[in-house]
Amino acid sequence: MTRFTPDLLEGPSDAVAPESREEVAATSPNRFALTFRRLFANRGATVGLVTIVLLFVFAFVGPVVSPYAYNYIDYTALSSPPSGAHWFGTNNIGQDVFAQTARGLQKSLLIGLLVALFSTVIAGMLGAMAGYFGGWIDRAVMVFVDLLLVLPSFLIIAILSPRLKQYGWLILVALLALFGWMITARVVRSLTLSIKEREFIRAARYMGIGHFTIIVRHILPNVASFLVIDATIAIGAAVLTESGLSYFGFGVQPPDVSLGTLIAQNQSAATTKPWLFFFAAGALIVFALASNLLGDGLRDALDPTSTAGRTGRRRRTRGRTAESRGGAAPLGRTGGVSEAASRAPGADVGSPAPTRTNDEKGERA
């Protein structure tokens, strides 16, 4: 009979013993450092992360360093192109485009961050509860998920948002988060079903630990990598959704601005006064691409079986091996030629087989 001890709470005892160095590092306490090393080894993820950081700096530092507020009207500079006084130019009523773009990006990023945070928390908790408890709780959550999935969320938000505009842009965050967690909850439920029968979960249950404590301390950390990736991608999706709603007049309401409202206000001047349109549209496109690149990089970095970050080291190792052999053929081709030569008719079968060098043994290892 298995005796449950507190040591079983540290992790599953039926885990497969790691064999390679990467698997050992993935299961070691330095997994956080390994994730960062893999993330920065991915060029696309690095570019995406740096781009997002620069956009955040522009959105939150730009209004501070700008000499004009986003709603200040300069009557001496109407529709002026970019200059030393107005870095991104002015619009038709003399408002500074730099300050308006920074303010609009700031509002879109705030909405995207809050929507991703709330939707990920809702999806993680409800998905884990449905998978852990099962029974009527699972059926109730899944029925609610299916009900929300069949509803036209964009149309409902477009109808409700103008009628609730007295509550500000926070009601838009609540509506977007309400319709943005269902798919993630389904995946978390499936992951929880495969985790809850592990020995460390059963040990915690038999030791009298509360169900919600088990969910928060043992189940959610095991699905945290998926939630991090999903939240990163959800930020970009929420920003695009908010911009679409604001473009049609259902999102952020005047006098406040967002990227969607700026694009909608200045779309007619895209060819005659491009500074009014392309700064806001460019910021939206660049942020969407950067968030996707960062999400892909996080997916590879958090995957224990991923080979990201090892390609460069493998190429360098092959390069050093080739130099040490004086430009000899690669190991695979050498082995193939030797094997073919030994099988060729008339070959000296009794001759000793060529021995591998230390570099070849190290590369194969």
Side-chain angles (χ1 to χ4, degrees):
M1 179 178 178
T2 304
R3 176 174 295 178
F4 296 103
T5 62
D7 297 336
L8 292 176
L9 295 176
E10 297 178 356
S13 61
D14 57 347
V16 179
E19 296 179 354
S20 64
R21 182 180 299 177
E22 295 293 332
E23 292 176 353
V24 172
T27 56
S28 67
N30 292 326
R31 185 174 180 180
F32 191 72
L34 175 64
T35 301
F36 265 89
R37 191 164 62 247
R38 283 179 171 178
L39 180 64
F40 285 103
N42 189 329
R43 294 180 181 177
T46 305
V47 171
L49 179 61
V50 172
T51 304
I52 290 177
V53 171
L54 292 178
L55 288 175
F56 269 88
V57 171
F58 169 70
F60 290 92
V61 179
V64 178
V65 301
S66 175
Y68 308 99
Y70 77 95
N71 53 359
Y72 175 76
I73 298 177
D74 187 1
Y75 294 101
T76 62
L78 302 178
S79 300
S80 65
S83 62
H86 297 279
W87 302 329
F88 286 2
T90 59
N91 59 11
N92 296 330
I93 59 175
Q95 292 176 326
D96 188 72
V97 177
F98 177 86
Q100 284 211 321
T101 305
R103 171 75 178 187
L105 181 60
Q106 181 187 111
K107 186 55 61 69
S108 296
L109 291 179
L110 276 177
I111 293 175
L113 283 174
L114 292 177
V115 170
L117 175 65
F118 292 147
S119 61
T120 302
V121 170
I122 294 173
M125 290 302 298
L126 290 183
M129 289 173 59
Y132 179 79
F133 291 109
W136 68 270
I137 297 178
D138 185 17
R139 291 192 295 272
V141 172
M142 288 301 103
V143 168
F144 189 54
V145 166
D146 294 337
L147 178 63
L148 290 180
L149 283 176
V150 299
L151 292 177
S153 58
F154 190 90
L155 182 60
I156 293 176
I157 296 174
I159 294 173
L160 294 179
S161 180
R163 289 168 172 76
L164 301 174
K165 62 181 180 181
Q166 64 270 20
Y167 299 104
W169 56 273
L170 290 178
I171 192 64
L172 181 62
V173 173
L175 292 174
L176 290 176
L178 178 64
F179 290 98
W181 58 273
M182 292 83 74
I183 302 297
T184 306
R186 277 187 170 276
V187 180
V188 172
R189 172 183 173 272
S190 301
L191 295 174
T192 304
L193 289 175
S194 64
I195 293 174
K196 73 174 186 179
E197 297 301 330
R198 299 281 184 88
E199 285 194 1
F200 68 101
I201 297 293
R202 293 162 56 192
R205 195 182 304 140
Y206 285 124
M207 292 179 68
I209 298 178
H211 295 304
F212 285 98
T213 305
I214 293 175
I215 291 174
V216 173
R217 296 184 57 182
H218 299 291
I219 291 181
L220 289 181
N222 280 279
V223 299
S225 58
F226 167 74
L227 292 177
V228 169
I229 298 169
D230 183 78
T232 305
I233 299 176
I235 295 174
V239 170
L240 290 176
T241 305
E242 180 276 329
S243 300
L245 289 168
S246 300
Y247 177 84
F248 291 108
F250 303 127
V252 177
Q253 300 296 321
D256 207 348
V257 295
S258 71
L259 292 181
T261 58
L262 292 177
I263 293 173
Q265 292 172 3
N266 303 311
Q267 60 178 340
S268 60
T271 55
T272 57
K273 301 170 185 175
W275 63 88
L276 297 179
F277 177 78
F278 285 103
F279 285 116
L284 179 62
I285 295 173
V286 169
F287 179 76
L289 292 176
S291 62
N292 285 333
L293 289 175
L294 181 59
D296 291 341
L298 284 173
R299 181 196 58 198
D300 295 336
L302 293 171
D303 185 3
T305 62
S306 174
T307 59
R310 289 183 291 176
T311 305
R313 186 176 60 184
R314 185 174 298 175
R315 288 177 179 173
R316 289 194 297 270
T317 305
R318 287 182 179 177
R320 288 196 299 267
T321 304
E323 291 177 358
S324 63
R325 288 182 299 182
L331 177 61
R333 179 173 295 181
T334 304
V337 171
S338 300
E339 186 177 358
S342 63
R343 292 178 181 177
D348 188 6
V349 180
S351 60
T355 58
R356 294 188 177 92
T357 63
N358 292 332
D359 291 336
E360 292 173 347
K361 294 178 180 178
E363 182 181 1
R364 181 173 293 277

